[in-house]
């Protein structure tokens, strides 16, 4: 596990399974809380995504260009999936 001390009694496979389960649990919890807070849109514009993540337009551009944030573009219209935004934050937490 990156950035943490490995527990000697767990195998690497078990650590990975626990990590996957935790990410799934946290992502689902984010989704539930977001739905309860009134933001149940699955797909958002860039502006909505910036508001959702509480970041500036420039920071969001860095997430896309430098950090690989997923974007869907159809006929020039860019959209961001809420669950991708949640997973991006979980992946890049310190």
């Amino acid at each position: 596990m990156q950035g943490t001390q490995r527990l000697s009694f767990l195998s690497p496979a078990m650590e990975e399974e626990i990590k996957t389960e935790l990410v799934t649990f946290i992502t689902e919890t984010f989704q539930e809380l977001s739905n309860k807070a009134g933001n149940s849109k699955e797909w958002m514009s860039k502006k909505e995504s910036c508001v959702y993540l509480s970041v500036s337009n420039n920071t969001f551009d860095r997430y896309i260009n430098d950090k690989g944030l997923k974007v869907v573009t159809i006929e020039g219209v860019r959209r961001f999936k809420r669950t991708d935004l949640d997973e991006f934050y979980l992946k890049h937490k310190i």
Side-chain angles (χ1 to χ4, degrees):
M1 297 175 73
Q2 183 180 4
T4 60
Q5 185 176 6
R6 188 171 173 275
L7 300 175
S8 60
F9 60 89
L10 294 177
S11 70
M14 182 60 87
E15 283 184 15
E16 190 60 36
E17 184 176 340
I18 291 170
K19 180 180 174 183
T20 300
E21 289 295 323
L22 282 172
V23 168
T24 300
F25 173 76
I26 292 168
T27 300
E28 290 172 356
T29 302
F30 270 130
Q31 290 170 351
E32 290 174 22
L33 291 173
S34 180
N35 288 339
K36 289 178 183 176
N39 188 358
S40 60
K41 285 179 77 171
E42 183 175 2
W43 293 93
M44 294 183 271
S45 68
K46 184 178 178 189
K47 183 176 182 179
E48 291 169 323
S49 298
C50 288
V51 170
Y52 180 72
L53 295 179
S54 300
V55 298
S56 70
N57 187 60
N58 290 341
T59 298
F60 197 76
D61 283 340
R62 281 197 309 274
Y63 290 171
I64 296 166
N65 298 325
D66 300 339
K67 302 289 186 182
L69 178 63
K70 296 177 186 175
V71 57
V72 174
T73 305
I74 301 172
E75 295 182 7
V77 177
R78 294 172 18 154
R79 291 290 181 254
F80 303 88
K81 192 171 183 180
R82 183 174 37 87
T83 54
D84 288 342
L85 298 174
D86 293 338
E87 289 172 9
F88 177 83
Y89 256 39
L90 289 173
K91 180 181 174 185
H92 291 89
K93 72 179 181 173
I94 298 175

